Amino acid sequence: MKAFARLLERLAFTAGRNAKLTILSHYLEATPDPDRGWALAALTGTLDLRQVSPSLLRRLAGERVDERLFALSYDFVGDLAETIALIWPAVPAPGPEVSLSQAVGILRETGKLALPAAIAAMLDRLTPPERLAFLKLATGNLRVGVSARLARIALAQTGPRGVEEIEEIWHGLEPPYLPLFAWLSGGARPEPASAAPFRPVMLSTPVTPAELAPLNPADYLAEWKWDGIRVQAVAEGGLRRLYSRTGEEIGAAFPDIIEAMDFEGAVDGELLIRRGTEVAPFADLQRRLGRKTIGRVLLQSHPATLRLYDILTWEGADLRPLPLTERRARLEAARFPRERIDLSPILPFAAWEDITRLRAAPPAPVIEGVMLKRRDTPYIAGRPRGPWFKWKRDPMVIDAVLLYAQSGHGKRSGFYSDFTFGLWDGADLVPVGKAYFGFTDEELRELDRFVRKNTVQRFGPVRQVAPLLVVEVAFEGLNRSGRHRSGIAMRFPRISRIRWDKPAAEADHLETLKAML
Amino acid sequence: MIRPEEIVCPTEAGLYCPPGGFHIDPLRPVPRALITHGHADHARPGHGAVLATRQTLDIMAIRYGEDFTSRRQIADGPLRIGDVTVSFHPAGHVLGSAQILIAPDNGPRVLISGDYCRTPNPTCLPWEPVACDIFITEATFGLPIFRHPDPLAETERLIASMAEFPDRPHLVGAYALGKAQRVIALARAAGHDAPIAIHGALKRLCDYHVEQGIDLGPLVPATDPEEARLILAPPSAFASPWVQRFRDPVLCYASGWMTVRARARQRGIELPLVISDHVDWPQLTATLQDLAPQEVWITHGTEDGLMRWCELQGLPARPLRLVGYEDEPE
Ligand SMILES: [Zn+2]
Ligand SMILES: [Zn+2]
């Protein structure tokens, strides 16, 4: 449990992706089975543990610690699990180190009635960092900033297998993943135990007109790029599963799709909200995401559909080795219930200028560009450069005023690199978003100098700057948001240009942004 | 017999001893000051006369210049001042740190702890128990959440991180007096023999520790960022452009405050190291039990927690709420 506690602590304080991967892969290499498998499960969210409520934890702490001292401490620390981990009185002879497997075992197997005593007994045996790790497991909230995908990439770094290979079998495996680790160290490949497994998806790379020019348009098929969610719908052997592009199962939130998956095969496409023929904006789809169950009302008001563009298996045959044109023909020959599942149309074009025109004037706002796919390539997992291109529409831009800056981590240590910017609302500047990138290293140095010279107030690592500098912010879209003071959340904002030339008074107004919604 | 309040009382300028006519760790210039240790919030320049340990006087001269006071006197054995006898006793906090005992001829003995620590520390003399009637204690870490781990184990975490990220310089924020030298000594104890780079602000105090016979191993200035793998700097340097010379550093911070994650996060620290030169909660409460004074007065820190503990123990206690001693120089 000590190594797992150290792992969580380091991950929680490490911001850099590469550093996180290093820490994780070292842990996975150094930790024996089955502990590392349980840790992997905890990080990828596949661990099904008995959840402990905050009120139970408070009660347990109350049995050991004076109530007033606890209240003062909680007030100081600000986090319940952390307070309990720190304040829990040490016992004279805690015994040998508890393994992560033992701790997980307690949380998996203890009955509801016996749970409080079991947790207290476990806390007695742990050191403060271990207690925090245990309580994070027990409250189901690790908060270490690691996605399931990142954990699998770290896993891939420990052995000879690529992350796509791991994702291909991932879904059929269960914690503590002994066959998986055996395979990574040279053993036999675990066969996906379950039917309807996930197949790693083929991804596109961005392209510019200059890069397209030397290519032959006749070698490519064109489709719209839909602003939905890339999914893989698999119906095999009586099982139906809907996967995100990283292999997470998301079917529970989309029973309407699952019901319509009346076929035998694996298909690739975009998940969208569609009312009649009209495809709704991404924000509508967001309302259906991340839910464990879905209400009747939302099913009616936000009906989901699949818009397919590829086919991976069909009635027992693996179609991935076939060239795209043949796969497309097989997809068009297949029958789907059309009110829920349709095909993404092929866009006719002869020259790249036709594509430029199409991209400039898409027929619906939910289209975010054009996809170009080589006719003759098989379906290749990962992101090979060449066969599939995405040519996104130009981002939206707005001129905003720099309001706050926060210092960065890792390579940006010592630089103010995380910026909050705002727009005019009458005579006030209202914060509308944050951007961490888009600028060059040289521009970062200039921004850092500006921040230091124009600081008006400091709050810990954050500096408020005089509202003098205008930055052009580029972004991919807007959502309404109750969590933002402006009522709007930007998608993928970045600083595209620093407008040293422009006076702050001439920055854009909030109404301008609202009109872009 | 005189009452304790007549021997020591809190004033605007800090603790004052009327029968001796002196202040202890005064917050503003006074005619006569007794100083427990060299940290800037306890040792300020501009007093008429200063009585302190030889090392504290040296440290004040290094920090403020030789003219930090008009008259200095080394505390060496019991001394008669006015109607009281005063003596200095090791506090285990930083080099030269002392507790000050004030004994009237006929009345309760008052012990002023200054800042103190009971964890072994190679850079200073160990804390010494001193019998007293009134114990005036700090309570920087006066809550039961503060249980400082073994400092060597914390240092081993730093060494492990350096092995895990051999290409990233490790930058440790540590207060210039005491903490920096302690971290260096700990790194040596943990087996780090390579030169350690130090920020310019640490140089003179490190040199002084070496002069006093404390082995810190090879130290180099942190001017060549390419060479140094372990660099020490005062925490304030982290917010300055000085940090920018290091490529992708791991920011570490050695302080008892690193127990609380929000404190580490607030400073943007990647590797918090819980290394403290103050008593933690178990040491603080054990000290009150060991000394068993008739009364406890609390100078500064998170006194509410300690007040409550004293209440539960039936030990009379009162907060002095002296303002001006920061909780940060730790
Ligand atoms: Zn001090
Ligand atoms: Zn102090």
Side-chain angles (χ1 to χ4, degrees), chain A residues 5-6 8-10 12-16 18-20 22-24 26-27 65-70 72-74 76-77 82-90 128 131-132 136 142-143 406-416 445 448 452 458-461 463, chain B residues 140 142-147 154 157 160-166 168 170-171 236 238-251 257-274 281 302-306 308-309 311-312 327:
Chain A
R6 260 198 307 274
L8 293 193
E9 174 164 341
R10 291 244 47 192
F13 283 107
T14 300
N18 287 341
K20 279 191 154 115
T22 303
I23 291 164
L24 251 173
H26 284 172
Y27 171 85
V65 186
D66 172 60
E67 207 172 300
R68 172 118 181 88
L69 282 173
F70 186 86
L72 287 168
S73 299
Y74 185 23
F76 192 92
V77 174
E82 196 183 333
T83 308
I84 294 173
L86 293 171
I87 208 170
W88 194 265
R131 276 183 223 132
L132 184 57
K136 295 265 171 201
L142 294 184
R143 273 188 294 181
Q406 185 166 356
S407 49
H409 298 266
K411 297 197 167 68
R412 291 161 156 203
S413 292
F415 288 100
Y416 285 88
R445 273 189 286 278
D448 180 74
R452 287 174 195 281
R458 299 169 76 150
F459 316 90
R463 288 180 184 224
Chain B
T140 303
L143 283 172
I145 49 171
F146 292 109
R147 272 175 284 176
E154 289 296 284
R157 289 175 51 228
S161 178
M162 291 172 62
E164 183 153 45
F165 295 103
R168 301 179 66 193
H170 282 59
L171 219 60
S236 57
F238 283 8
S240 76
W242 177 82
V243 181
Q244 295 173 2
R245 71 186 69 189
F246 300 99
R247 217 170 52 84
D248 196 11
V250 178
L251 296 189
W257 297 115
M258 293 298 105
T259 299
V260 177
R261 289 186 162 203
R263 292 279 180 125
R265 238 175 243 122
Q266 192 190 21
R267 287 176 165 271
I269 298 301
E270 189 164 339
L271 183 63
L273 301 168
V274 185
W281 176 260
T302 37
E303 64 259 22
D304 291 349
L306 193 59
R308 172 63 179 166
W309 184 86
E311 183 189 335
L312 292 170
D327 61 3

Side-chain angles (χ1 to χ4, degrees), chain B residues 37 39 41-42 93 115 278 329:
Chain B
H37 67 288
H39 276 153
D41 51 332
H42 294 258
H93 173 57
D115 291 340
H278 290 262

Side-chain angles (χ1 to χ4, degrees), chain B residues 11-97:
Chain B
T11 69
E12 292 271 289
L15 288 174
Y16 180 63
C17 172
F22 58 81
H23 286 82
I24 301 104
D25 291 352
L27 298 155
R28 58 180 73 149
V30 296
R32 178 156 205 163
L34 273 58
I35 307 284
T36 58
H37 67 288
H39 276 153
D41 51 332
H42 294 258
R44 295 167 200 259
H47 306 305
V50 171
L51 172 65
T53 63
R54 174 192 298 278
Q55 287 142 333
T56 296
L57 292 170
D58 288 346
I59 289 163
M60 289 178 78
I62 288 171
R63 299 198 126 168
Y64 304 124
E66 292 296 336
D67 59 349
F68 70 91
T69 180
S70 4
R71 225 152 34 86
R72 41 177 129 158
Q73 186 181 359
I74 295 167
D76 190 14
L79 270 171
R80 188 75 186 169
I81 305 176
D83 295 332
V84 294
T85 304
V86 299
S87 52
F88 284 59
H89 307 265
H93 173 57
V94 296
L95 182 61
S97 67

Side-chain angles (χ1 to χ4, degrees), chain B residues 167-228:
Chain B
D167 299 330
R168 301 179 66 193
H170 282 59
L171 219 60
V172 183
Y175 197 59
L177 168 60
K179 188 62 63 64
Q181 296 78 25
R182 175 130 180 255
V183 170
I184 293 169
L186 282 164
R188 298 308 182 201
H192 182 80
D193 299 325
I196 294 174
I198 52 170
H199 184 279
L202 306 182
K203 170 122 182 41
R204 292 183 65 197
L205 284 167
C206 284
D207 288 347
Y208 179 67
H209 277 72
V210 173
E211 280 165 31
Q212 291 293 303
I214 294 148
D215 185 15
L216 298 180
L219 302 180
V220 295
T223 39
D224 184 0
E226 286 308 308
E227 230 163 75

